Amino acid sequence: MAILVDDPLWPNHGTMWAHLVSDASLAELHAFARRAGIPERGFDHDHYDVPEARIDELVALGAERVPPKDLVRRLIASGLRVKERDRP
């Protein structure tokens, strides 16, 4: 069971954004996000969007930094991935 954060590849609001996921459960993900002070509005179906400036802090709190392809692969393997077509 791990919390994962990938490389920031998504530009928006004047910064680059990364994804924060759990490879075990959404409960684990939400608990980690609360502990890290990440606002609930950052949650998007199966991940939190996090600004580049927070990545080192998230790693210090226990998140594992992984390449984006690994993050997606592990999210899919966990069964937690919400496909684009299934999003409202």
Side-chain angles (χ1 to χ4, degrees):
M1 294 185 281
I3 298 294
L4 312 171
V5 63
D6 66 1
D7 299 326
L9 299 176
W10 310 103
N12 204 1
H13 303 290
T15 192
M16 298 296 285
W17 295 79
H19 300 111
L20 184 74
V21 305
S22 169
D23 68 357
S25 74
L26 291 179
E28 176 186 48
L29 176 61
H30 292 308
F32 184 91
R34 276 191 303 275
R35 226 174 35 254
I38 297 170
E40 290 180 22
R41 70 179 179 274
F43 183 68
D44 185 18
H45 301 285
D46 57 12
H47 69 277
Y48 281 88
D49 294 316
V50 293
E52 179 177 31
R54 301 277 321 264
I55 292 174
D56 289 343
E57 173 190 352
L58 296 172
V59 170
L61 288 171
E64 177 184 346
R65 188 148 184 195
V66 296
K69 287 183 181 182
D70 289 352
L71 181 137
V72 171
R73 181 182 49 77
R74 289 172 67 177
L75 184 60
I76 290 169
S78 75
L80 298 173
R81 177 73 172 138
V82 177
K83 295 179 182 176
E84 192 66 36
R85 69 172 182 259
D86 296 330
R87 296 171 187 238

